[in-house]
Amino acid sequence: MAINHAEIGDDEKKDFLKVVEFINHNNDKIFRSIRKRDGRIVEFNPTKIAAAIFKAAKAVGGEDRQLAEELAGVVMQYLHKQLGTGIPTVEEVQDAVEKALIETGHAKTAKAYILYRDRRTRLRDSKSELMDVVEEILVETNRENANISNSPSAKMLQIASAASKKYYLSRMIPDDMAQAHTEGDFHIHDLDFYGKTLTCVQIPLGKLLTNGFNNGHGFIRPPKRPGSAAALAAIILQSSQNDMHGGQSFAFFDRDMAQFMAGAAEEDVYQAMEALIYNLNSMHSRAGAQVPFSSVNLGCDTTPAGRMVTKCLLLAYEKGLGHGESPIFPNIIFRLRKGINFDPDDPNYDLFQLAMRVSAQRLNPTFAFMDSSFNAPYGSEVAYMGCRTRVMANRHGEAVSDGRGNLSFTTINLPRIAIRSGGDLEIFYTELERLMVLAARQLYHRYRIQSKLKVRDMPFLMGQGLYLDSEKLGPNDPIGPVIKHGTLSIGFIGLAEALTSLTGSHHGQSPDSQRLGLEIVSFMRKLIDGFSEEYDLNYTLLATPAEGLSGRFVNLDRKRFGVISGVTDKEYYTNSFHVPVQYEIASYEKIGIEGPYHQLTNAGHISYVEMESPPIDNLEAYERLIRHMALSNMGYAAINFPVDECTACFHRGVFAGDCPVCGSSAIRRIRRITGYLSTIDRFNDAKQAELRDRSNHWL
């Protein structure tokens, strides 16, 4: 038979004649053709069998090429016995190789061959799946992220994202970790950026505005007027977003902007803040796919200029965009602290009142509590991001917010562990610990890859000194010495469903379940603290902001375990430690149940109270709720309600259907999702289902 010599490598040519000799002596047992996986029939080349066996043998220390050729002969004899003169398929040939190796006593080689075959299968499958994903994206951008548009740039970005995910899972991430992600034991967030960049950062705005910066084509000098300072703040957010995959935040916006507002007329400051809001809702990042995920922390600067920044930003946000539309960004976080703004005699108490008035109409600001037991030790240094991220304690330097952020995070599927345990808590904790250890190893694997990135790979974030200590590095230096200041977070989802699986009720229904819930999260936090010691890095526990993930986990678990009442019977798992959204409960009771989890989740947390309509006419009740959140030792919280806006006549309210004023059906419906605001048409299916299920919490 004809053999294609070009398919034989140089190292194998000297052995080729041996194979040919075998073929000539066993011509009646040699096939002429083979059927490929796609159905094509091509020429059969037996030398490939010997080559594959030799590669597997080398993987376990073997060096005998002649033995590989003899084993190839055994394979062909086996095939001939099974198939006669028929045409074998690729799979049949590979099955025969496995059988021949095992039956001739070469178990180690067989195992190596099986692993090689499985790897090749996963590579082929990933390529096929990638093409399917690309086809779907070309029709409509997927909705894993409610801030991504359906533009051509967004489609190109997501095609690249899909290819990147396949690459990392099949080529870079160790098999046990890749398998845990693929099967849904845990979820590696922002997988497409696995080895490219970091998650988020609290930007040192004051430093950049004072010193100036370069974001690509020349130096931008420090501003001299309020409008210039606000414009540069927006550019800084955009530039940093292009270097990272997560959110961008200013930890001390009022303080950092104050020096550029001193002596300015309030009208000028107001115009500057209005322009900032306009920019953050219109300027795009990531090749035009989305506006920056932006957050600003404020409320604690008591200087006249700092107070003016907070007041004018809140007033501009209250006014809305050009036709009065509610801004989506920035996410405003009003930091509350006794002696500064929390009580009537405090100097910034009037700004707290204004913040509540704006929030009761526009859903922002949200509120962060500096006096909670876990935030108080840091004074006014603590800052949050809209997604709930909190970065504080630091094993390798000062515990500050500026210049630090989360490096990456991975989320544990708690309901699956509970289902597998069959109600046995010993089994549950054993499996939870196993997955936590695996997740810690995976985060360390990612950290080591991230550490090898160079300053020039993130020219703005690292090159302009945004990250703590990065100004000490040169363009070609690896970033490892500075990212040790960041955090590596393990999150969790579905505590409510896990408790239901374990006990028959969730923590909103039963005090015993609440005790178990706190025990489980405390167990996770203890492991996290241990990882910090073991790896000497800032490992933290996160109350995961699950968007696309809430639906992904439950879909996988429903296929595997079927429909389980109270567990897999919805289209989503409940976020982190939250009481299920459909459960009817008083707002004060919900706050009391969720409050204790905040101190355990040191990487970030948030709790919500749902209202039927904007509470603008009952600000006294609004303030009582916020004060109860503070008393319940919460770190970060928000009050949700529907905001519907007619895009024809710009009437705003809560509409069951069409606009009650002009009758238009063009309604912009704004809701909060994973900490940020979005219009519901951008919610994915799981979050749409969750939105429909949300119950209001009575006072």
Side-chain angles (χ1 to χ4, degrees), residues 179-383:
Q179 183 179 12
H181 172 87
T182 302
E183 294 183 356
D185 289 339
F186 63 46
H187 181 85
I188 301 170
H189 290 267
D190 302 292
L191 174 62
D192 45 345
F193 287 95
Y194 194 89
K196 297 185 183 76
T197 184
L198 317 176
T199 299
C200 58
V201 68
Q202 291 280 6
I203 299 171
L205 177 62
K207 170 184 172 182
L208 291 170
L209 291 181
T210 300
N211 299 332
F213 58 89
N214 186 327
N215 71 336
H217 292 286
F219 183 75
I220 298 176
R221 65 175 180 266
K224 296 181 179 179
R225 296 178 178 84
S228 298
L232 292 184
I235 291 171
I236 288 167
L237 283 166
Q238 181 189 43
S239 299
S240 187
Q241 179 84 92
N242 283 328
D243 274 2
M244 309 188 80
H245 60 71
Q248 308 300 310
S249 179
F250 295 140
F252 310 103
F253 183 73
D254 46 357
R255 181 199 71 188
D256 290 349
M257 292 290 285
Q259 60 181 307
F260 304 100
M261 308 295 152
E266 186 170 315
E267 176 62 22
D268 291 338
V269 177
Y270 177 85
Q271 290 292 333
M273 296 302 106
E274 183 178 59
L276 175 72
I277 292 170
Y278 279 14
N279 279 332
L280 294 181
N281 285 276
S282 58
M283 67 191 307
H284 285 74
S285 61
R286 295 182 185 161
Q290 62 187 70
V291 297
F293 275 110
S294 55
S295 298
V296 298
N297 290 259
L298 45 69
C300 286
D301 192 302
T302 58
T303 66
R307 282 175 45 80
M308 190 183 301
V309 170
T310 296
K311 178 182 177 181
C312 289
L313 183 67
L314 290 173
L315 289 174
Y317 201 94
E318 182 179 41
K319 183 178 180 181
L321 301 177
H323 292 297
E325 305 100 318
S326 293
I328 299 299
F329 290 106
N331 195 89
I332 303 175
I333 301 161
F334 193 90
R335 301 188 305 139
L336 286 164
R337 190 180 183 194
K338 291 181 179 179
I340 293 178
N341 54 28
F342 194 68
D343 294 317
D345 292 336
D346 293 342
N348 282 4
Y349 181 70
D350 60 325
L351 296 180
F352 177 28
Q353 297 295 302
L354 176 59
M356 288 187 290
R357 188 183 85 194
V358 177
S359 182
Q361 301 170 76
R362 301 290 191 179
L363 291 163
N364 267 325
T366 50
F367 296 91
F369 304 97
M370 300 297 100
D371 296 314
S372 61
S373 63
F374 46 91
N375 285 336
Y378 304 103
S380 295
E381 183 59 36
V382 179

Side-chain angles (χ1 to χ4, degrees), residues 374 388 414 491-497 499 506-508 514 517-518 521 541-545 573-580 590-591 593-602 604-608 633-637:
F374 46 91
R388 77 197 61 193
L414 284 182
F492 62 94
I493 190 173
L495 177 65
E497 287 79 11
L499 291 171
H506 58 70
H507 50 320
Q514 167 73 341
L518 290 170
V521 179
L541 183 63
L542 178 69
T544 294
Y573 281 147
T574 302
N575 261 12
S576 60
F577 54 71
H578 290 179
V579 173
K590 183 177 190 289
I591 292 168
I593 290 171
E594 294 183 3
Y597 293 95
H598 284 227
Q599 64 183 323
L600 298 172
T601 48
N602 57 339
H605 38 251
I606 194 169
S607 287
Y608 305 114
N633 204 31
M634 285 187 167
Y636 185 39

Side-chain angles (χ1 to χ4, degrees), residues 287-548:
Q290 62 187 70
V291 297
F293 275 110
S294 55
S295 298
V296 298
N297 290 259
L298 45 69
C300 286
D301 192 302
T302 58
T303 66
R307 282 175 45 80
M308 190 183 301
V309 170
T310 296
K311 178 182 177 181
C312 289
L313 183 67
L314 290 173
L315 289 174
Y317 201 94
E318 182 179 41
K319 183 178 180 181
L321 301 177
H323 292 297
E325 305 100 318
S326 293
I328 299 299
F329 290 106
N331 195 89
I332 303 175
I333 301 161
F334 193 90
R335 301 188 305 139
L336 286 164
R337 190 180 183 194
K338 291 181 179 179
I340 293 178
N341 54 28
F342 194 68
D343 294 317
D345 292 336
D346 293 342
N348 282 4
Y349 181 70
D350 60 325
L351 296 180
F352 177 28
Q353 297 295 302
L354 176 59
M356 288 187 290
R357 188 183 85 194
V358 177
S359 182
Q361 301 170 76
R362 301 290 191 179
L363 291 163
N364 267 325
T366 50
F367 296 91
F369 304 97
M370 300 297 100
D371 296 314
S372 61
S373 63
F374 46 91
N375 285 336
Y378 304 103
S380 295
E381 183 59 36
V382 179
Y384 284 83
M385 296 186 189
C387 62
R388 77 197 61 193
T389 299
R390 171 188 181 272
V391 177
M392 207 57 247
N394 186 5
R395 298 178 66 85
H396 297 285
E398 192 176 356
V400 296
S401 291
D402 263 352
R404 302 177 61 214
N406 184 252
L407 305 179
S408 49
F409 65 104
T410 297
T411 291
I412 303 291
N413 184 347
L414 284 182
R416 175 175 292 187
I417 302 173
I419 294 168
R420 282 176 170 169
S421 73
D424 188 315
L425 285 177
E426 184 176 351
I427 295 174
F428 175 85
Y429 281 117
T430 299
E431 177 65 4
L432 176 57
E433 182 171 3
R434 183 189 72 81
L435 280 179
M436 292 279 288
V437 169
L438 182 62
R441 284 179 45 225
Q442 178 269 309
L443 286 169
Y444 185 64
H445 174 265
R446 188 171 188 175
Y447 169 80
R448 291 179 63 190
I449 294 171
Q450 292 168 328
S451 296
K452 295 176 183 177
L453 293 168
K454 293 180 170 54
V455 169
R456 66 170 185 262
D457 294 321
M458 284 162 271
F460 190 72
L461 176 69
M462 296 294 173
Q464 297 303 301
L466 275 68
Y467 220 86
L468 188 62
D469 288 342
S470 58
E471 68 275 4
K472 300 175 183 178
L473 304 178
N476 295 313
D477 289 337
I479 64 174
V482 303
I483 67 170
K484 64 185 179 183
H485 294 301
T487 58
L488 298 166
S489 301
I490 298 178
F492 62 94
I493 190 173
L495 177 65
E497 287 79 11
L499 291 171
T500 299
S501 178
L502 290 169
T503 70
S505 59
H506 58 70
H507 50 320
Q509 297 171 314
S510 164
D512 289 339
S513 292
Q514 167 73 341
R515 282 190 289 271
L516 179 58
L518 290 170
E519 179 185 292
I520 290 170
V521 179
S522 297
F523 177 81
M524 297 177 76
R525 174 61 185 274
K526 184 177 180 180
L527 288 173
I528 287 286
D529 292 344
F531 299 148
S532 293
E533 293 291 330
E534 179 181 354
Y535 293 96
D536 193 26
L537 291 169
N538 298 315
Y539 277 83
T540 51
L541 183 63
L542 178 69
T544 294
E547 192 169 340

